[in-house]
DNA sequence: AGACTTCGGGAACATCGTTCGCAAACTCAG
DNA sequence: CTGAGTTTGCGAACGATGTTCCCGAAGTCT
């Protein structure tokens, strides 16, 4: 019997003896991701995922300790999607390239930013990505703690951008509705000016902010 | 009848006519925060909050469109806690001071980081905080879009730190359990080295990373 | 005083995560 | 080949959740 308090990555997938399992963790993860891609995070219920697989909901508990495990598996599965190019020597450029891969993954899976931000857990694929970032930062002075911090912040910043971008795209008026009301009161001139800037066309290209952040962090 | 698609801040609180309400939005928000402070976010159910107030669960829907509204109210209520000191001229220092106030608020309300990260919404108190940041950045070149970005990132970074800090404090072994296993395989020397650095005592003082980020962003 | 409107909240509904228990499917020792 | 042992699949059930309905109670306004 495997310890239930261990992360799922350390629990044995199948038993050597007894009736063989009909499915694998990977299949279940893929089904969960399919459901999420189609209906968002809230659609990822045990019953929905089971339906996607054509099984009963209770069967999932043979592969996973609960819904949380499922979410962890989903996150780590997507962590395999970014292409990890060999370091070029330009640390900031390498990291922004990785960040762009991350962003593309999050566009492909709109439910991902929320999970990444809420659920800090490192699975095998996330460790591979971390290893890649450590590779890029090999020549960088500073201990592992600082580099781990950079990795965490890179993920968080990209996820935050992705989340905000999506919110602005899905409900454009809702996002600024209250700001507009505040501006209308005339009591906060700085907010009013801000709204005028938001109305202007966006000529900045994405990634500027991230480059600035990374430049600061790498000192 | 107020439009249900509007953010809650634009919906009238009480009706002018008819039976007067026995409670206020503020009371309900305070009850929800009390429940969350005591039992975490998942304890914030309509029934629990109603119990805290001594009312029925269905009554809450007279004040709020649903649980999501309640969460928005909670977030904005905490946005009033940070003290907003007048700008000194040192932008980075002023922003890190604000960030420290934010962090303290999140320590007081451990459920807050998750909401801040997941739910980008600006209520009256959040707008006041934004206004303060705009005040600090008054002399800064760059349009409102960039400043709004700085505000969003400031919140996100502080919340990310708070979340990770809490996870590390609550389940210290769980966080690195899998990393330790990866190191034990010997197949990822960079991860092994990272773990050794993590074992060493932490001599960096908090806020270094944020200062670096802000310096980069403010160029 | 009567029409009107809002509020409080018990009851009910759909859905959720999860547990239980048992029949079926398989491995392995003898 | 057999039977003991182990694991899997999963229908049924439990408790908790968010939310809606409905109606009596409690006010305001003409």
């Amino acid at each position: 019997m495997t310890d239930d308090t261990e992360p799922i990555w350390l629990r044995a997938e199948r038993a050597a003896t007894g009736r063989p399992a009909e499915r694998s963790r990977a299949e279940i993860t893929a089904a969960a991701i399919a459901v999420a891609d189609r209906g968002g995070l809230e659609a990822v219920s045990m019953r929905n995922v089971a339906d996607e697989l054509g099984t009963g909901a209770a069967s999932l508990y043979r592969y996973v300790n609960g819904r949380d495990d499922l979410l962890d598996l989903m996150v780590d599965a997507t962590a395999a999607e970014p292409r990890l190019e060999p370091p070029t020597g330009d640390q900031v450029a390498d990291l922004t390239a990785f960040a762009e891969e991350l962003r593309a993954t999050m566009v492909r899976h709109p439910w991902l930013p929320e999970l990444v931000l809420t659920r800090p857990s490192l699975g095998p694929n996330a460790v591979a990505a971390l290893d890649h970032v450590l590779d890029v930062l090999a020549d960088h002075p500073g201990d592992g703690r600082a580099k781990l911090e950079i990795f965490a912040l890179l993920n968080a910043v990209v996820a935050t951008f992705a989340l905000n971008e999506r919110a602005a795209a899905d409900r454009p008026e809702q996002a600024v509705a209250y700001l507009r009301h505040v501006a209308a009161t005339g009591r906060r001139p700085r907010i009013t000016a801000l709204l005028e800037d938001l109305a202007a066309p966006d000529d900045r290209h994405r990634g500027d902010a991230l480059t600035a952040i990374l430049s600061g962090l790498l000192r």
Side-chain angles (χ1 to χ4, degrees), chain A:
Chain A
M1 188 62 174
T2 52
D3 185 358
D4 284 1
T5 69
E6 273 179 337
I8 190 171
W9 327 106
L10 294 180
R11 269 172 268 151
E13 169 149 17
R14 347 172 71 96
T17 167
R19 173 178 175 176
E22 295 180 5
R23 268 159 280 264
S24 67
R25 250 178 223 173
E27 278 178 86
I28 288 178
T29 307
I33 289 179
V35 170
D37 285 346
R38 200 184 314 127
L41 247 201
E42 90 238 326
V44 180
S45 68
M46 298 309 244
R47 276 170 252 253
N48 276 346
V49 174
D51 282 358
E52 177 84 11
L53 288 163
T55 79
S59 309
L60 297 183
Y61 289 86
R62 296 291 176 190
Y63 299 86
V64 142
N65 268 349
R67 186 173 184 262
D68 284 4
D69 273 357
L70 203 44
L71 299 181
D72 282 342
L73 286 174
M74 292 168 68
V75 171
D76 198 65
T78 64
E81 296 188 15
R83 261 189 259 273
L84 310 178
E85 307 286 355
T88 65
D90 183 343
Q91 299 183 345
V92 172
D94 288 347
L95 290 187
T96 52
F98 171 65
E100 185 51 41
E101 289 281 322
L102 256 187
R103 203 194 79 89
T105 305
M106 291 183 181
V107 168
R108 249 182 325 261
H109 307 292
W111 43 269
L112 186 53
E114 178 176 339
L115 284 187
V116 166
L117 288 172
T118 301
R119 186 170 290 272
S121 85
L122 293 175
N125 293 319
V127 165
L130 170 60
D131 198 46
H132 172 251
V133 168
L134 291 177
D135 189 13
V136 168
L137 295 177
D139 291 341
H140 186 269
D143 62 341
R145 210 179 238 105
K147 295 179 183 179
L148 184 58
E149 218 165 50
I150 291 176
F151 178 73
L153 282 175
L154 186 67
N155 278 278
V157 168
V158 172
T160 299
F161 273 126
L163 203 66
N164 287 338
E165 231 172 81
R166 189 155 175 81
D170 285 357
R171 325 177 285 277
E173 71 295 358
Q174 167 108 0
V176 292
Y178 180 65
L179 276 185
R180 224 183 286 283
H181 169 258
V182 171
T185 69
R187 239 184 280 274
R188 291 198 183 273
R190 284 185 287 260
I191 301 290
T192 310
L194 174 74
L195 262 172
E196 283 165 16
D197 281 9
L198 289 185
D202 189 356
D203 51 346
R204 290 172 30 106
H205 45 293
R206 185 175 43 239
D208 273 5
L210 187 64
T211 306
I213 292 175
L214 289 174
S215 306
L217 272 177
L218 298 179
R219 200 134 37 257

